[in-house]
Amino acid sequence: MSLKRKLEGEIEIREGASDAFYDIYKSKPHLVSHASSHFVQSCDLHHGDFGTPGAILSWNYTLDGKAGVCKTEIEKVDDENRLVRQKVIGGDLMDDYKSLVFTCHVVPKDKETSIVRWIFEYEKVRPGVPEPSAMMDSVLAAAKDIDDRHHGIKK
């Protein structure tokens, strides 16, 4: 029985924030905590350089009221298509998933908006493990938080 799955989600952000969002997620992920501290408390570089394949990042986050740690390795950066792909290589998420890959893609929609599209590809360790929908909701909300912060909207 295959427990491999894919979950996709997207959210609109203002076009003026799309480059800023991509730059923060790709090259300055430690700044995510400034806009979305209720979700991401910190992101530290453990190996390599921010924004380059092979870089290893450690994320401290809160999901459903529980503190967690996630270690990721950047697999792919495509500046032309504004896409970053990270593979989870350690942390709490590995308790439930054999493999988990996050792909973030920023796509222009029209003159005023862009779409932040997230794709999670994962394999559960056993039946009954919940879908990572809470994580999806949180990364989408963080994109909106970065958009709002970029435009000076305080929450």
Side-chain angles (χ1 to χ4, degrees):
M1 176 180 181
S2 175
L3 300 174
K4 291 184 179 183
R5 301 252 178 10
K6 184 187 267 191
L7 180 63
E8 298 184 35
E10 59 184 42
I11 192 165
E12 283 188 12
I13 62 172
R14 289 164 278 235
E15 178 53 37
S18 65
D19 287 337
F21 174 83
Y22 177 70
D23 184 53
I24 287 170
Y25 184 68
K26 177 189 102 171
S27 302
K28 302 171 189 153
H30 56 285
L31 297 180
V32 173
S33 65
H34 293 237
S36 196
S37 61
H38 55 90
F39 173 45
V40 174
Q41 286 74 58
S42 66
C43 179
D44 299 311
L45 179 68
H46 283 272
H47 174 75
D49 296 313
F50 283 125
T52 61
I56 296 177
L57 309 174
S58 180
W59 299 82
N60 290 293
Y61 63 93
T62 301
L63 190 62
D64 291 334
K66 285 181 50 180
V69 176
C70 176
K71 190 176 274 190
T72 63
E73 179 179 358
I74 297 175
E75 288 188 322
K76 179 179 182 177
V77 174
D78 180 346
D79 288 332
E80 184 177 333
N81 293 303
R82 298 194 300 179
L83 181 141
V84 177
R85 179 178 167 100
Q86 294 187 43
K87 169 178 65 174
V88 176
I89 59 172
D92 303 313
L93 296 172
M94 299 307 291
D95 293 343
D96 291 330
Y97 304 98
K98 286 182 189 176
S99 63
L100 180 57
V101 176
F102 301 125
T103 301
C104 180
H105 188 194
V106 182
V107 182
K109 180 179 176 188
D110 54 40
K111 286 192 252 182
E112 291 153 11
T113 58
S114 284
I115 302 292
V116 175
R117 181 174 296 131
W118 282 93
I119 301 168
F120 295 177
E121 298 169 83
Y122 55 98
E123 182 175 2
K124 298 177 180 185
V125 296
R126 65 191 168 285
V129 167
E131 304 301 317
S133 55
M135 178 65 77
M136 178 63 76
D137 291 345
S138 294
V139 297
L140 293 172
K144 191 64 177 159
D145 291 341
I146 292 168
D147 178 25
D148 287 346
R149 183 173 174 95
H150 179 75
H151 285 90
I153 298 169
K154 299 189 189 248
K155 293 185 176 186

